[in-house]
Amino acid sequence: MKKLILISTVLLSLTAVSVFGQTKTKNFNAGGYEFQASTVDPKINEMFCSIGEMPKYPGGYDSVATFLRRHIKYPPTAIKDTVQGKVMIKFTVDTTGKVINVIVFKSVRADLDSVCLSAVTQMPKWTVGRVDGKPVAVYFLLPIKFILTDSKK
């Protein structure tokens, strides 16, 4: 049995969280649609669904996949038990570009979750996201697929 780890190169940006202002709602346009976002936690301030300038991983999104392939090893116990699936990791790129608040958003099994968490926490700093030129924290969902293939195919 051959092991294969697929790391989606598309990071799904869920929300950009601003660190300035006390506005309760904000209107903005994205992709031809008008959106309104509201504060859901007074400690967070403004909450956005889209931002002007997204954080960037050094070398781009293809480099994220390369980094994760180097840092994620298919756990032998998962191979033995023929466990496959997609782990969803949620993390925040803060206003300094540091990856923080790394959690398992969707679990497959503890050993797969663990190698994903370990790899994402080791990521280098990203360039920061910005709204109106000001740094903002942005959180992402990162899907990581574990697939076992038959080595004879």
Side-chain angles (χ1 to χ4, degrees), residues 39-117:
T39 301
V40 294
D41 183 342
K43 293 180 236 161
I44 292 178
N45 297 327
E46 293 179 285
M47 187 72 85
F48 298 94
C49 295
S50 176
I51 66 170
E53 200 176 316
M54 290 296 292
K56 293 180 186 77
Y57 182 84
Y61 291 129
D62 288 341
S63 294
V64 172
T66 301
F67 174 87
L68 293 173
R69 281 188 194 100
R70 287 186 185 138
H71 288 84
I72 294 176
K73 302 298 178 218
Y74 214 122
T77 53
I79 294 170
K80 179 181 167 256
D81 297 341
T82 64
V83 175
Q84 303 180 94
K86 180 173 27 176
V87 176
M88 298 288 285
I89 299 294
K90 180 179 167 186
F91 64 93
T92 302
V93 175
D94 74 8
T95 58
T96 68
K98 186 176 177 185
V99 173
I100 61 168
N101 302 327
V102 181
I103 64 164
V104 175
F105 186 78
K106 179 183 173 271
S107 175
V108 171
R109 192 169 101 164
D111 51 357
L112 296 180
D113 299 348
S114 178
V115 295
C116 294
L117 285 171

Side-chain angles (χ1 to χ4, degrees), residues 10-62:
V10 178
L11 295 174
L12 305 173
S13 170
L14 291 180
T15 305
V17 182
S18 88
V19 294
F20 57 93
Q22 292 294 333
T23 306
K24 293 191 189 270
T25 61
K26 175 109 175 156
N27 292 323
F28 57 92
N29 292 309
Y33 296 94
E34 185 172 323
F35 295 93
Q36 184 179 57
S38 300
T39 301
V40 294
D41 183 342
K43 293 180 236 161
I44 292 178
N45 297 327
E46 293 179 285
M47 187 72 85
F48 298 94
C49 295
S50 176
I51 66 170
E53 200 176 316
M54 290 296 292
K56 293 180 186 77
Y57 182 84
Y61 291 129
D62 288 341

